Amino acid sequence: MSKVATAATIAAALLIVPASAADPSAILDKPHDCIIEPFIATELGSAATGILEELLVDRGSRVTKGMVVARLRSDLEQASLNIAKARAESTAIIELGRERVSLLKKEASRITELHGKQISSTAQFDKTLSELQQAVLQLRQAETDQEFAVLEMRRAAALLDQRTIVSPIDGYVIKRLMAPGENVFEQAKIMKIAQIDPLRIEVHLPIAAFPLIKVGMTAEIRPSQPVGTVHMATVSVIDNVLDAASDTFGVRLILANPKHEMPAGVNCTATFPFLGR
């Protein structure tokens, strides 16, 4: 074979290259399988243990952040709070102490004046000052006990609050995992809640497109349900560890869903039609 023919063959072979290798952006114009998932899906537990008294929501119920969704039986904790509150709000000992200090101050002032005129004895003078000092110390102790009572009341209130389970997110109840009357323990899960605004979209793209994908880029998302709809999502995460086995890398997109019209848990396709244009 001549050198001219060989050169022509090599040139022709170089031209026969997959379109994806020659133009990585062409890969992204094609639809890629993806899945639409809840932004957060969490299983609610309890910091306290005890008997589940009531569930205030059911599967499919919409919940908001801070909304009470379940309660544990709390008779003992409520009684402890009532006792602690009564102690914290009682000021009788402090008022009595202040009255005694005020009275002894007047007495000490009178005895000091008499002692200065050598009318009162030194023993009486020392006794009055000692009683005043003791009364002041007792008042300080009563005030300290009052502060501790307030702290104990707050502690009792915190323990009672732990008997109330609130939703940490806005979303929907996916599943109830326990029923009233069951024992809630440390590892027990009471229900599962999912946040669907925004939605999270996971897609795997060929490694050839890795240099072109940037955080903040937009993509067209076509879900399987509702059929025919198109939504714009934004790239939020790009995996920096590639999967050599599948020759792909993962990308996460965020899709706003303020009206909750788009369901989670559906398949979709993603394209990046504006890339490089």
Side-chain angles (χ1 to χ4, degrees):
M1 183 180 293
S2 66
K3 293 182 178 180
V4 175
T6 303
T9 302
I10 295 174
L14 292 174
L15 292 175
I16 304 174
V17 184
S20 61
D23 184 12
S25 64
I27 301 174
L28 300 177
D29 282 331
K30 300 177 180 179
H32 296 274
D33 291 338
C34 58
I35 184 169
I36 301 175
E37 301 176 341
F39 184 70
I40 298 175
T42 180
E43 293 181 339
L44 296 188
S46 172
T49 60
I51 302 301
L52 184 60
E53 186 171 50
E54 59 179 339
L55 286 171
L56 304 177
V57 293
D58 203 349
R59 189 180 72 178
S61 298
R62 184 171 180 175
V63 297
T64 56
K65 184 176 181 179
M67 175 180 171
V68 177
V69 296
R71 289 191 179 93
L72 274 62
R73 186 171 181 178
S74 56
D75 299 353
L76 180 60
E77 289 74 15
Q78 183 64 59
S80 298
L81 176 59
N82 293 340
I83 294 173
K85 186 177 181 180
R87 289 174 178 170
E89 294 177 349
S90 176
T91 59
I93 297 178
I94 293 178
E95 292 173 0
L96 181 62
R98 288 173 180 170
E99 186 66 25
R100 186 164 183 266
V101 168
S102 177
L103 181 62
L104 288 174
K105 281 183 177 180
K106 294 178 182 179
E107 180 68 16
S109 178
R110 186 177 66 83
I111 292 296
T112 299
E113 182 180 354
L114 294 176
H115 184 265
K117 296 179 180 180
Q118 296 184 347
I119 298 177
S120 175
S121 65
T122 302
Q124 183 64 32
F125 175 74
D126 292 342
K127 180 181 178 182
T128 302
L129 292 183
S130 176
E131 290 177 349
L132 175 59
Q133 185 177 9
Q134 291 178 21
V136 170
L137 292 175
Q138 289 173 352
L139 176 59
R140 290 178 181 173
Q141 182 61 52
E143 291 173 341
T144 300
D145 291 343
Q146 178 75 9
E147 293 175 358
F148 279 121
V150 171
L151 294 176
E152 183 62 29
M153 179 186 67
R154 293 175 181 173
R155 178 178 178 274
L159 291 175
L160 180 61
D161 287 342
Q162 288 184 350
R163 317 296 289 183
T164 300
I165 313 301
V166 300
S167 173
I169 57 175
D170 296 333
Y172 292 87
V173 178
I174 300 176
K175 185 185 297 185
R176 296 200 330 182
L177 303 173
M178 298 189 73
E182 293 190 66
N183 182 39
V184 177
F185 50 94
E186 186 176 352
Q187 291 82 18
K189 303 302 180 183
I190 299 172
M191 66 182 65
K192 188 173 184 178
I193 296 177
Q195 178 182 341
I196 63 170
D197 179 32
L199 291 165
R200 190 178 77 235
I201 300 171
E202 300 290 347
V203 58
H204 285 82
L205 301 174
I207 291 179
F210 183 77
L212 303 178
I213 297 294
K214 306 296 180 185
V215 173
M217 290 176 55
T218 57
E220 290 184 351
I221 305 299
R222 292 174 171 81
S224 59
Q225 295 293 333
V227 178
T229 58
V230 180
H231 304 269
M232 302 305 298
T234 304
V235 175
S236 64
V237 176
I238 301 172
D239 289 348
N240 289 314
V241 179
L242 312 183
D243 186 356
S246 62
D247 199 32
T248 62
F249 67 100
V251 175
R252 175 177 297 172
L253 302 100
I254 298 299
L255 174 61
N257 190 29
K259 296 182 179 180
H260 297 179
E261 295 175 346
M262 174 67 65
V266 299
N267 295 320
C268 61
T269 59
T271 57
F272 297 78
F274 307 108
L275 188 59
R277 297 182 183 179

